[in-house]
Amino acid sequence: MMHSARPITPELIASFRKGYEEDRTARVLTAAASRTELTEIAYDSAAAAKQPHTFSIELKTTGITNQRKSGRCWLFASMNLMREQVIRRCDLEQFELSGNYFAFWDKFEKINFFLESILDCTALPVGDRTLDWILDSLGDGGQWDMMVSLVKKYGVVPKSAMPETAQSEGTAVLMRYLRTALRRDAIELRRLAAEGGDTAARKDEMLGDYFKALCIAFGEPVQHFDFEYRDKKGDFHADRDLTPLSFYEKYVGIDLGDYVSVINAPTQDKPFYKTYTVKYLGNVVGGSIRYLNLPMDELKALTIRQLQDGELVWFGSDVGKYGDRKNGLWDTASFRFSDVLGGLRLDMTKEERLDYRDSAMNHAMVICGVNLDAEGKPNRWKIENSWGEDAGCKGYYVASDEWFNEFTYQVIIHKKYLKAEWLEALAQPPIELEPWDPMGTLA
């Protein structure tokens, strides 16, 4: 039966006005909302007091980084893991890897990935959903497997070897015009393909233009450099003529192939204990995106085991829900948004949020601690963020276990912790998800 649309009538509005005007609590909340941000009004201090910044398992990390006004959280979370290896090997007080170096090669590879995707879809008409998704796909964000592809190809460098620029720290304007240029080039490549022209040669010419533009914005990426530093004892060290790949091998040395992306996507279309990938998702052509979908209790158990062994955990979550940036807290019980907004119904299951586009991964950070209760169950998690020391508790956050259950979607786990049957599932060809699937969302 076809739905018969009903317009809003003056009579309906009059009844709504009457209901609002007779609700004393709503009028008080109106006064509060006129001068105070909603998160502050909704904040329940008594509930927040149940989430202290103390943890039974806590790994020391070396200070807080700051991604500034860029969407490079996934790279900063990765660098925050890798730099601990350098600090340990060189006995340093402080150290950072170059987010600018990473940003250059990520953008350049994404540009190539975009142009190759356009060429793969030349038969699709304007307005096709897949083509539309590709045209909107270029951004700062990414995922763990994309970082792995970059490191394997380009290595890493210290921040001192390629410092930040104004464009790497604030990417909005640059990205706006890169997207415009790419859409213009998509038009040309699609026309050239229809005419039977040499799209490969023209694409290479385009890449040269983008390389120059990125050098202007970020600086030319370093190829050789000297690593000079003083250790905690004050002794000077100098390692000459390193390349980004040789620096990674010598000072970081993590075998990234040993790590697996474990997700929690409790939706009907993604049965647990199977492996998934996403169409047209990536940066380096030839790289791979692969997830193992597990129930949340299994995901958390793996995370705790890795922390207990003294190793940090990269993870992706939705930080836009039930959080307080100032006090460093994510907790569903500490923010009474439904009450503040007059009883709006905000309750959904995690499955419903994913299916109805209400939530997906949008930020990556590092788990560096967990508090276990008397029964050995987690009740809160310690998070190292990349929003600078002025946010949270000197840059660190606490997440309640309930928030973790509802809004954490991905963790990176060493394969040694996985059961044999899970490793076998990872060895099978992955189920391919559509580009717009929520599990394809970038941090």
Side-chain angles (χ1 to χ4, degrees):
M1 181 181 297
M2 184 175 293
H3 172 69
S4 179
R6 296 180 60 193
I8 295 174
T9 64
E11 293 77 16
L12 198 58
I13 292 174
S15 70
F16 296 156
R17 283 187 186 274
K18 185 174 184 294
Y20 164 72
E21 291 169 356
E22 292 177 353
D23 188 331
R24 184 178 179 183
T25 300
R27 300 297 292 273
V28 171
L29 289 169
T30 300
S34 70
R35 295 293 184 93
T36 309
E37 200 272 327
L38 283 179
T39 300
E40 295 291 331
I41 302 172
Y43 184 70
D44 186 333
S45 60
K50 299 176 182 178
Q51 303 297 332
H53 284 257
T54 55
F55 307 90
S56 58
I57 299 171
E58 188 170 7
L59 307 186
K60 178 178 172 54
T61 60
T62 315
I64 295 297
T65 54
N66 196 334
Q67 68 191 74
R68 305 292 179 185
K69 296 179 180 179
S70 72
R72 298 174 292 165
C73 61
W74 59 291
L75 292 174
F76 271 75
S78 304
M79 291 188 295
N80 287 343
L81 292 179
M82 291 187 285
R83 70 173 178 154
E84 298 295 338
Q85 302 297 318
V86 182
I87 289 167
R88 191 174 300 116
R89 288 170 192 245
C90 299
D91 194 29
L92 300 174
E93 292 282 358
Q94 292 286 337
F95 177 78
E96 287 189 41
L97 292 166
S98 173
N100 187 24
Y101 179 81
F102 252 148
F104 183 100
W105 290 120
D106 175 57
K107 296 295 185 296
F108 191 57
E109 288 288 349
K110 281 176 178 172
I111 287 166
N112 184 57
F113 195 95
F114 174 96
L115 295 174
E116 288 291 341
S117 298
I118 288 295
L119 290 172
D120 193 51
C121 296
T122 53
L124 298 180
V126 171
D128 179 87
R129 187 175 185 183
T130 297
L131 179 59
D132 284 348
W133 187 92
I134 293 170
L135 291 171
D136 285 334
S137 63
L138 185 73
D140 281 348
Q143 293 196 7
W144 172 266
D145 287 338
M146 294 165 66
M147 179 279 298
V148 172
S149 294
L150 290 174
V151 171
K152 288 181 176 179
K153 189 170 184 178
Y154 297 107
V156 298
V157 304
K159 186 176 181 179
S160 58
M162 190 170 175
E164 298 279 5
T165 70
Q167 311 316 314
S168 67
E169 291 187 334
T171 57
V173 176
L174 174 66
M175 295 307 300
R176 182 183 307 148
Y177 292 104
L178 283 178
R179 281 189 285 266
T180 294
L182 283 168
R183 289 162 183 157
R184 183 264 174 213
D185 287 345
I187 295 169
E188 181 180 346
L189 287 177
R190 283 166 60 84
R191 286 176 178 168
L192 190 60
E195 296 166 357
D198 189 348
T199 56
R202 183 66 186 110
K203 190 206 81 169
D204 286 350
E205 293 173 352
M206 292 173 175
L207 284 175
D209 293 336
Y210 287 110
F211 187 89
K212 183 188 298 182
L214 292 176
C215 284
I216 292 169
F218 299 141
E220 185 179 355
V222 63
Q223 300 181 71
H224 298 270
F225 60 94
D226 297 336
F227 181 38
E228 300 177 339
Y229 64 93
R230 286 191 182 276
D231 60 26
K232 290 179 181 178
K233 298 177 182 177
D235 295 333
F236 180 78
H237 303 264
D239 199 350
R240 307 295 184 190
D241 199 30
L242 292 164
T243 67
L245 283 170
S246 68
F247 177 83
Y248 182 85
E249 292 168 2
K250 185 172 183 178
Y251 290 101
V252 181
I254 299 172
D255 186 349
L256 296 173
D258 285 340
Y259 290 83
V260 174
S261 178
V262 176
I263 63 169
N264 176 245
T267 52
Q268 293 298 311
D269 63 329
K270 299 180 191 69
F272 289 131
Y273 309 111
K274 294 186 180 297
T275 308
Y276 300 87
T277 190
V278 182
K279 298 177 186 176
Y280 294 112
L281 180 65
N283 52 1
V284 177
V285 171
S288 63
I289 302 287
R290 188 174 291 239
Y291 314 127
L292 174 66
N293 193 21
L294 295 181
M296 181 50 80
D297 60 342
E298 301 276 21
L299 181 151
K300 291 197 297 185
L302 291 170
T303 302
I304 292 169
R305 285 186 63 193
Q306 190 158 303
L307 289 171
Q308 287 173 328
D309 282 352
E311 187 169 353
L312 303 168
V313 179
W314 188 106
F315 85 116
S317 61
D318 179 0
V319 298
K321 301 290 198 301
Y322 301 97
D324 178 10
R325 184 174 183 138
K326 180 175 69 176
N327 294 313
L329 173 66
W330 284 294
D331 177 32
T332 52
S334 293
F335 300 93
R336 305 180 65 170
F337 288 108
S338 177
D339 293 339
V340 166
L341 293 171
L344 285 182
R345 293 179 295 277
L346 306 176
D347 56 309
M348 283 189 279
T349 65
K350 192 173 189 177
E351 177 182 7
E352 290 167 341
R353 290 192 206 96
L354 289 170
D355 283 341
Y356 285 83
R357 318 302 294 187
D358 185 66
S359 181
M361 182 176 72
N362 56 28
H363 190 54
M365 299 175 288
V366 172
I367 303 172
C368 56
V370 62
N371 192 69
L372 305 180
D373 64 17
E375 298 178 353
K377 302 293 184 182
N379 54 24
R380 59 184 178 272
W381 303 79
K382 183 179 181 181
I383 311 301
E384 177 186 355
N385 206 344
S386 56
W387 290 346
E389 291 188 350
D390 292 338
C393 183
K394 296 183 178 180
Y396 294 93
Y397 283 66
V398 59
S400 70
D401 191 57
E402 181 58 28
W403 183 91
F404 195 94
N405 288 338
E406 297 298 321
F407 297 109
T408 290
Y409 295 104
Q410 184 178 20
V411 295
I412 303 303
I413 300 295
H414 196 286
K415 64 183 182 182
K416 67 184 178 182
Y417 299 110
L418 302 182
K419 297 178 181 179
E421 56 266 34
W422 300 348
L423 292 171
E424 185 178 339
L426 279 166
Q428 302 303 312
I431 298 167
E432 197 171 46
L433 305 174
E434 295 295 342
W436 45 85
D437 190 276
M439 287 300 109
T441 303
L442 301 179

